[in-house]
């Protein structure tokens, strides 16, 4: 297990945050969470408020697992909708944590960063511990921190796309610019190698859902992601070698026989 990461004064050992949507069965979801070793799981208020109270069975199962719950405002398109959903989630799930998601474009599901900052300001002032789903824009990040966010969650690629890290340069820049802020890559991760790449850049954690839930075997994929994230973190801590433009021999040439 890697070294712990702290979110809003809560330390956790696992650097994988796992979503709970779109799994084939509740049993597969439960086993995937177990094998992922995730200690924080994201939950949609819409799932809990499903018709005929089907969400109650889901919520009961989640409670029994003893995980930290991170409710989200998935599907919200306005500041009012996001803030209202956050209030309802706090009442239902009994936590001040909220993953703030405010969508600005229906095709890319890119965050509306202007509304995001506005909603974050309102929620932080009301005592919420906000985990904002944002882009990799440094100015937006500064504004989110200024209104009270203590975690940033930049996207790797559009939600559910599985494309990995579309812009490693910008993510690397964000890590360098905010060395002491917990940074979580959220959205777009499709393979364990994508997660490892983000961790090798120095990111603190990965939040994903679709890559596990919609794989051929969610339980096996959850295990693979847990291992990849730990490997990526260990590689980062080991201070990887720098890339070179030319070859560098791994075998010393001193003492080697040569023609005269």
């Amino acid at each position: 297990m890697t070294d712990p990461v702290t979110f809003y004064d809560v330390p956790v050992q696992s650097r994988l945050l796992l979503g709970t949507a779109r799994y084939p069965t509740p049993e597969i979801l439960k086993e995937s969470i177990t094998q992922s070793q995730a200690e924080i799981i994201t939950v949609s208020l819409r799932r809990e408020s499903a018709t005929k109270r089907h969400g109650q069975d889901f919520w009961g199962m989640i409670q029994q697992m003893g995980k930290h719950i991170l409710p989200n405002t998935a599907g919200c398109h306005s500041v009012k909708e996001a803030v209202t959903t956050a209030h309802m989630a706090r009442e239902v799930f009994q936590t001040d944590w909220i993953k703030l998601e405010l969508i600005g474009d229906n095709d890319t599901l890119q965050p509306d960063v202007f509304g995001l900052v506005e909603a974050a300001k309102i929620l932080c002032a009301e005592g919420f511990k906000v985990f904002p789903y944002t882009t990799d824009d440094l100015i937006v990040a500064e504004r989110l921190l200024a209104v009270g966010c203590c975690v940033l969650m930049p996207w790797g690629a559009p939600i559910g796309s599985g494309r990995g890290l579309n812009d490693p340069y910008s993510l690397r820049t964000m890590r360098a610019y905010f060395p002491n802020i917990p940074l979580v890559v959220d959205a777009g991760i499709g393979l364990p190698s994508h997660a490892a790449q983000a961790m090798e850049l120095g990111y603190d954690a990965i939040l994903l859902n679709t890559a596990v839930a919609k794989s051929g075997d969610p339980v096996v994929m959850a295990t693979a992601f847990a291992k990849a994230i730990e490997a990526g973190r260990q590689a980062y801590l080991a201070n990887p070698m720098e890339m070179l433009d030319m070859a560098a021999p791994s075998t010393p040439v001193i003492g080697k026989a040569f023609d005269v």
Side-chain angles (χ1 to χ4, degrees):
M1 187 67 69
T2 59
D3 53 315
V5 59
T6 299
F7 298 115
Y8 290 104
D9 298 323
V10 177
V12 292
Q13 289 289 337
S14 174
R15 291 172 180 266
L16 172 57
L17 287 66
L18 192 63
T20 56
R22 305 179 68 184
Y23 285 80
T25 67
E27 292 73 22
I28 291 177
L29 166 60
K30 184 176 181 180
E31 185 60 20
S32 297
I33 293 173
T34 298
Q35 293 304 316
S36 74
Q37 302 179 43
E39 297 173 53
I40 299 174
I41 55 177
T42 64
V43 177
S44 171
L45 180 67
R46 286 170 172 78
R47 178 70 175 274
E48 170 63 12
S49 302
T51 58
K52 298 183 181 179
R53 301 188 68 80
H54 289 163
Q56 296 298 326
D57 294 336
F58 165 78
W59 178 222
M61 181 191 74
I62 295 300
Q63 284 181 305
Q64 291 174 8
M65 298 195 74
K67 305 295 184 180
H68 296 288
I69 303 300
L70 178 59
N72 63 52
T73 62
C76 292
H77 289 75
S78 70
V79 172
K80 182 178 180 180
E81 185 181 12
V83 169
T84 300
T85 301
H87 287 157
M88 294 171 65
R90 179 160 64 178
E91 181 176 346
V92 170
F93 298 111
Q94 297 296 301
T95 178
D96 290 330
W97 283 15
I98 191 73
K99 177 191 170 186
L100 182 58
E101 189 175 311
L102 207 163
I103 301 302
D105 181 79
N106 288 328
D107 292 326
T108 65
L109 301 181
Q110 179 169 329
D112 172 0
V113 295
F114 303 101
L116 182 68
V117 172
E118 183 181 347
K121 181 177 181 179
I122 294 170
L123 293 174
C124 287
E126 294 178 345
F128 282 90
K129 308 297 190 299
V130 178
F131 293 67
Y133 164 59
T134 183
T135 63
D136 50 22
D137 186 284
L138 297 181
I139 307 306
V140 174
E142 288 276 23
R143 299 291 171 83
L144 289 168
L145 295 175
V147 300
C149 296
C150 296
V151 177
L152 296 172
M153 303 180 72
W155 66 348
I159 293 173
S161 67
R163 295 180 58 86
L165 307 186
N166 270 354
D167 192 350
Y169 172 80
S170 292
L171 291 173
R172 184 181 293 108
T173 301
M174 179 173 278
R175 175 72 286 176
Y177 203 78
F178 302 107
N180 300 316
I181 300 298
L183 299 181
V184 182
V185 171
D186 177 16
I189 298 296
L191 294 169
S193 57
H194 298 157
Q197 181 186 10
M199 297 303 293
E200 288 166 2
L201 293 177
Y203 275 71
D204 295 286
I206 305 294
L207 193 157
L208 56 87
N209 185 164
T210 308
V212 171
K214 299 302 290 182
S215 67
D217 191 329
V219 175
V220 172
M221 188 61 80
T223 304
F225 269 106
K227 293 178 179 178
I229 289 171
E230 183 169 354
R233 177 61 180 175
Q234 293 293 346
Y236 171 73
L237 294 176
N239 191 18
M241 64 175 287
E242 296 181 4
M243 288 190 294
L244 303 175
D245 292 329
M246 301 292 290
S250 57
T251 302
V253 298
I254 298 176
K256 181 180 179 182
F258 59 92
D259 294 331
V260 294

